[in-house]
Amino acid sequence: MRTIKWRNGIVLTIDQTVLPIKEKWIELKSCGEVASAIKEMKMRGAPLIGVAAAYGIALTAYHSKAKTKEELMQELERCAETLRRTRPTAVNLFWAIDRIMNKARENRESLEDMKKTIISEALTMADEDVKVNRRIGKHGAKLLSDGETVLTHCNAGSLATVGYGTALAVIRAAWEEGKHINVIADETRPKLQGARLTAYELMRDGIPVTLITDNMVGYVMSKGLVGKVIVGADRIVRDGVINKIGTYTVAVLSKEHGVPFYVAAPTSTFDLSETSKDVVIEERSPKEVTHIGSVRIAPEGVKVMNPAFDITPLKYVDAIICEKGVLTREDFSELVKKNL
Ligand code: MRU
């Protein structure tokens, strides 16, 4: 499944807010439309929003009426700024914007060549994402045995990337190697990415998946029903992993029950210049907590907290699976030291 496509100046993507009830493809024709789709989580997941941002900049280049390269550059800068303001936590968004803007800045060709370079860079980034995810899968699959049950949180699958996924890449690769893997997906309140998206895409692939609510994780672990945990990441900083709210709880429970806890993410999710206290944790609308879908479940006027991500300290992470290989906690600490 490829979640984002470029067709002659139009971006096509699946509206993830209506999955799994409808598989609705939408057309985005401008940077502003891409920015709104990211903000409203029609597209979500760290790697996907990075590539989507690159496509947003490519749309600006494609449709620009600028007469000079300087004028085009100003339009691109405005688009980049709009995209930067969509969601603050996943570093892939900023990584992708910086990569494509640097490409635009270093371009010395004609105006038309500059546009082509930007569009081709965005398309390259999308293709690279799938290749990187396949490598993550291949490295991670070594950690899984035949018959293993893997618990995952949120959706770190094809839908969170251009294709193949990160945490789900590991499961897919093991499955493709002939290992029989069972997945436990927790629902992931409040946006229910586990129930709506992970369950949907695994069932589509014929990989056995059992859905539980978030508060059942402790019980299933205490019953010995979980062999490994694999989650994705929105940003991996020097001292921890930032991922969907609830990841930290799963990590602490994993430690308590001796269940290995792995994070699967491309190196574009690494942000070794920062520590967890530097990162802005997105706070989303209270309505996501007071309502399930459009149905209110809490009293009107109740005070609400709705952080979209949490921080799992490194001590709970057994390994990080990236496209370069499997980094144990010790390997990762070495990498952090080298970056000092
Ligand atoms: O708020 P979301 O749905 O964009 O959050 C997504 C996650 O937290 C994923 O686990 C993470 O981006 C990794 S996706 C490969």
Side-chain angles (χ1 to χ4, degrees):
M1 189 199 305
R2 191 145 173 138
T3 52
I4 188 164
K5 296 174 189 167
W6 173 269
R7 201 158 292 157
N8 304 323
I10 295 175
V11 172
L12 295 167
T13 191
I14 305 169
D15 177 352
Q16 297 193 27
T17 60
V18 293
L19 277 174
I21 309 302
K22 276 188 237 161
E23 192 179 309
K24 179 180 162 200
W25 284 82
I26 49 171
E27 292 188 349
L28 307 170
K29 297 181 179 144
S30 66
C31 176
E33 285 182 13
V34 170
S36 302
I38 295 174
K39 228 182 156 95
E40 292 160 17
M41 291 176 69
K42 289 181 175 160
M43 287 184 279
R44 35 67 52 200
L48 178 60
I49 64 174
V51 171
Y55 275 24
I57 296 172
L59 280 179
T60 303
Y62 186 94
H63 296 288
S64 171
K65 303 256 178 312
K67 300 257 173 328
T68 64
K69 290 202 287 180
E70 291 67 30
E71 240 181 87
L72 175 60
M73 204 59 222
Q74 282 170 10
E75 288 177 13
L76 299 178
E77 295 283 5
R78 274 199 296 276
C79 164
E81 216 21 65
T82 308
L83 291 163
R84 276 185 224 280
R85 284 197 301 265
T86 52
R87 299 192 70 189
T89 309
V91 76
N92 307 60
L93 178 81
F94 304 94
W95 169 87
I97 295 171
D98 290 346
R99 173 166 160 179
I100 202 153
M101 290 303 285
N102 286 338
K103 195 83 186 172
R105 273 183 214 110
E106 78 197 19
N107 191 281
R108 304 267 177 275
E109 318 286 320
S110 68
L111 180 65
E112 282 317 304
D113 283 341
M114 186 171 167
K115 290 184 186 175
K116 278 191 202 137
T117 304
I118 292 161
I119 295 162
S120 121
E121 184 71 357
L123 301 182
T124 303
M125 285 163 77
D127 290 341
E128 271 180 26
D129 179 72
V130 182
K131 285 187 198 140
V132 159
N133 295 341
R134 288 208 169 259
R135 270 189 262 148
I136 292 175
K138 213 165 164 356
H139 293 304
K142 294 187 195 114
L143 301 168
L144 302 184
S145 326
D146 189 25
E148 186 107 62
T149 298
V150 179
L151 185 140
T152 190
H153 181 67
C154 191
N155 171 265
S158 295
L159 289 164
T161 62
V162 178
Y164 209 62
T166 58
L168 295 196
V170 175
I171 291 163
R172 281 199 169 98
W175 185 263
E176 285 163 15
E177 285 173 11
K179 294 176 190 165
H180 194 275
I181 308 292
N182 294 293
V183 181
I184 296 182
D186 66 28
E187 63 178 354
T188 319
R189 268 286 281 160
K191 296 288 280 182
L192 304 172
Q193 292 93 328
R196 295 190 304 103
L197 309 177
T198 299
Y200 166 78
E201 68 167 90
L202 289 174
M203 285 175 79
R204 234 177 105 128
D205 278 8
I207 300 175
V209 55
T210 303
L211 179 65
I212 59 170
T213 63
D214 296 333
N215 52 0
M216 293 174 190
V217 174
Y219 177 79
V220 296
M221 283 192 184
S222 73
K223 289 286 174 193
L225 300 176
V226 181
K228 308 257 157 66
V229 170
I230 312 180
V231 297
D234 286 83
R235 196 183 283 241
I236 299 176
V237 290
R238 303 166 69 81
D239 56 341
V241 170
I242 292 141
N243 191 48
K244 178 55 52 199
I245 191 77
T247 303
Y248 173 48
T249 320
V250 175
V252 174
L253 283 165
S254 301
K255 186 112 190 148
E256 173 65 22
H257 294 95
V259 175
F261 181 91
Y262 301 127
V263 175
T267 48
S268 53
T269 307
F270 289 23
D271 182 7
L272 303 186
S273 61
E274 294 194 280
T275 57
S276 48
K277 64 175 175 4
D278 306 317
V279 178
V280 178
I281 300 290
E282 178 183 10
E283 180 75 29
R284 294 187 61 85
S285 160
K287 206 170 166 207
E288 292 178 355
V289 177
T290 55
H291 290 62
I292 293 186
S294 54
V295 180
R296 168 179 284 283
I297 52 158
E300 199 127 11
V302 68
K303 215 167 117 190
V304 167
M305 268 173 76
N306 187 16
F309 301 95
D310 61 23
I311 302 153
T312 300
L314 215 54
K315 68 174 182 180
Y316 294 106
V317 179
D318 292 292
I320 295 172
I321 308 157
C322 68
E323 70 274 23
K324 299 197 170 148
V326 177
L327 303 175
T328 60
R329 183 171 49 242
E330 293 69 31
D331 296 334
F332 182 76
S333 303
E334 278 305 308
L335 194 70
V336 167
K337 272 190 216 139
K338 279 192 205 140
N339 264 268
L340 266 176

